[in-house]
Amino acid sequence: MPYDVPGRADDLAPGLVKSWNDRIAAEFARLEPSFGSRFFSIDPVAVGSTARVPVTWFGDPAEPAFCLGAAAAQRLSDWDERGRAVLHNEYCEYAAVRAVDADGRRRLKRVQVTTELREYWVTLARSSPDAVRGLVTGITGTEPAWTDLYGVADPTALSEDARESAFAALVAGGQQGPPSGPLNTRNALFMSHPINGLDDLLFIIMFGARPLFTDRAGTLEPATKEQIFRESGSEHLACRHADPAAAMAAHGAAVSGRTVGFADPLGMYIQSFARDVFLLDGAPLPDGWVRFSRGDEGLHQRLEVGPPDDDPRFLDEAVTAEGATDEPVVGGHQIVRHVEVGPFVVVGPQTPLADGERTVLTTSDAPIVCREATVCQSIEQLQREFDAAHAGPLRRVGPRRTEPTG
């Protein structure tokens, strides 16, 4: 496969680029027996088109909003590492950087947003400790100790399997749980939520790349989102931002007989940020308060919103001007609500569909009641944990805002 590194953000040795492609190939090989078809190609060159098509959705977590409402979604999503570990599952994660002002108050300084795939970082950590250490240094400005990355003083003494396991436990997180170390919890270096992985990104496009139809009075029409997700027994996925956007984009190609693949370089990207929604002293945010990085122009994987350390101001001095009244910026949820993320795909030419390639679904296309999804039970439990943790007296933390201690 000819994929460059995500965003073309790093100048890697050919062996490391090959390791990244090997990981992509391995994930595809695992999924292909169940979801492979001629309507998806892991090789973008084989698709037959170089036109890049963006697939986008907003980065704020959908699940807490449809379970408990917008206010709870903001509170829980902004619950620092705990909220991120449970709720940031739209291929977009963020961390709040806080600092103490001249009056001794701990306030919101800036928000870091990342769409970088954990598997890319794990690939580097496995094969080249120096490379991954350089990435952390470039983002944080401080070179981390080997013990912060691998738990040992000399990672070269470990096998590659042991390096990957140690880095995953401390920094990358994943299926085994959130990272136990501070590097990728106090900062948003790259995505660590298990749903935001390369495997799930490949899966949802492959899942959608099928010519599924419904029979309406003798006429075959493309199946609806509700039918497609009901047919697989995964109705709750249709309630998120990411999964239906990605799946239905691929489905739209497949019903026209088109093959879809990921554009080179394969990755998750920040497609837009509606910075005009945010004001500081009645004017747009200063240019120095909105910084894109970790990728070429148009392929950014990192966004920081807020002043640098040498600026005495704080992000909570800015307001959102999207509603009837201005609201102070209190956390990252307000930022990612206005951040569009997603991959780029390539779509091949239209071809005739053979009769045997069409699948006609008979599942209902009635609206899915998202509030009844089982995930709402775990989010309600998270709300109870939040309430218990914030049951203390109120304290001032910034202009025009109070929050409970805890």
Side-chain angles (χ1 to χ4, degrees):
M1 292 178 295
Y3 290 115
D4 203 342
V5 302
R8 300 191 176 94
D10 306 306
D11 185 13
L12 300 183
L16 290 177
V17 178
K18 181 181 182 301
S19 295
W20 170 234
N21 278 270
D22 289 345
R23 191 170 289 261
I24 296 171
E27 293 291 356
F28 173 70
R30 186 175 63 83
L31 292 167
E32 186 178 24
S34 298
F35 301 101
S37 75
R38 79 169 179 92
F39 304 100
F40 176 83
S41 175
I42 195 60
D43 183 354
V45 176
V47 171
S49 172
T50 59
R52 301 165 62 84
V53 179
V55 179
T56 64
W57 56 86
F58 286 100
D60 58 303
E63 289 176 342
F66 67 68
C67 290
L68 297 179
Q74 178 172 308
R75 285 194 304 272
L76 297 178
S77 298
D78 283 347
W79 192 14
D80 295 327
E81 298 98 311
R82 181 63 174 150
R84 177 180 172 188
V86 177
L87 299 177
H88 295 194
N89 61 3
E90 300 283 3
Y91 298 91
C92 178
E93 300 182 23
Y94 64 86
V97 176
R98 304 183 191 278
V100 177
D101 68 8
D103 295 324
R105 298 177 300 173
R106 187 168 177 263
R107 295 167 53 190
L108 180 66
K109 186 72 174 180
R110 56 185 170 270
V111 170
Q112 303 171 341
V113 181
T114 182
T115 61
E116 286 207 59
L117 295 167
R118 72 177 292 277
E119 288 85 354
Y120 173 69
W121 282 67
V122 168
T123 297
L124 297 188
R126 175 186 178 90
S127 302
S128 177
D130 286 335
V132 81
R133 190 187 212 182
L135 294 190
V136 177
T137 303
I139 290 174
T140 66
T142 302
E143 184 177 79
W146 288 127
T147 50
D148 291 332
L149 292 169
Y150 295 96
V152 297
D154 181 13
T156 63
L158 301 176
S159 68
E160 288 193 338
D161 285 347
R163 284 202 293 261
E164 178 171 336
S165 178
F167 182 79
L170 279 170
V171 185
Q175 297 296 336
Q176 73 273 24
S180 61
L183 281 177
N184 198 24
T185 53
R186 294 177 185 170
N187 302 282
L189 297 178
F190 57 91
M191 296 188 293
S192 60
H193 194 292
I195 299 300
N196 296 334
L198 172 65
D199 54 348
D200 286 286
L201 180 58
L202 289 171
F203 158 74
I204 198 60
I205 294 289
M206 295 174 72
F207 169 83
R210 298 174 294 163
L212 305 178
F213 292 84
T214 186
D215 188 335
R216 298 192 186 281
T219 300
L220 290 185
E221 297 180 1
T224 65
K225 175 185 70 176
E226 290 77 11
Q227 290 178 306
I228 291 171
F229 284 92
R230 275 201 178 97
E231 184 251 352
S232 65
S234 53
E235 293 95 328
H236 68 287
L237 295 181
C239 296
R240 292 178 180 164
H241 296 315
D243 296 272
M248 296 311 291
H251 177 251
V255 296
S256 298
R258 301 177 187 271
T259 299
V260 66
F262 288 98
D264 179 34
L266 190 161
M268 280 294 304
Y269 300 109
I270 297 172
Q271 305 268 3
S272 72
F273 171 50
R275 61 181 295 173
D276 292 345
V277 170
F278 300 91
L279 302 176
L280 179 69
D281 299 328
L285 295 180
D287 288 343
W289 283 38
V290 179
R291 302 177 297 282
F292 291 93
S293 61
R294 296 296 299 151
D296 289 347
E297 187 67 32
L299 296 174
H300 296 129
Q301 302 169 95
R302 184 174 183 80
L303 168 65
E304 289 190 81
V305 180
D309 286 335
D310 59 3
D311 188 324
R313 293 171 295 182
F314 288 77
L315 183 55
D316 62 16
E317 298 173 38
V319 299
T320 63
E322 58 181 317
T325 59
D326 294 345
E327 294 291 336
V329 177
V330 298
H333 185 269
Q334 291 161 295
I335 302 295
V336 297
R337 284 189 68 245
H338 300 284
V339 172
E340 286 185 296
V341 303
F344 289 94
V345 298
V346 287
V347 181
Q350 186 170 351
T351 63
L353 288 174
D355 290 342
E357 291 181 320
R358 295 180 177 87
T359 298
V360 179
L361 303 184
T362 58
T363 48
S364 168
D365 63 355
I368 293 171
V369 183
C370 296
R371 180 63 184 82
E372 296 177 357
T374 56
V375 70
C376 289
Q377 298 173 16
S378 62
I379 292 176
E380 289 165 358
Q381 175 59 34
L382 183 69
Q383 177 69 70
R384 289 189 287 271
E385 294 173 12
F386 178 92
D387 291 342
H390 293 76
L394 294 176
R395 59 182 172 85
R396 285 289 297 181
V397 298
R400 296 163 50 185
R401 180 190 175 208
T402 60
E403 71 174 18
T405 57

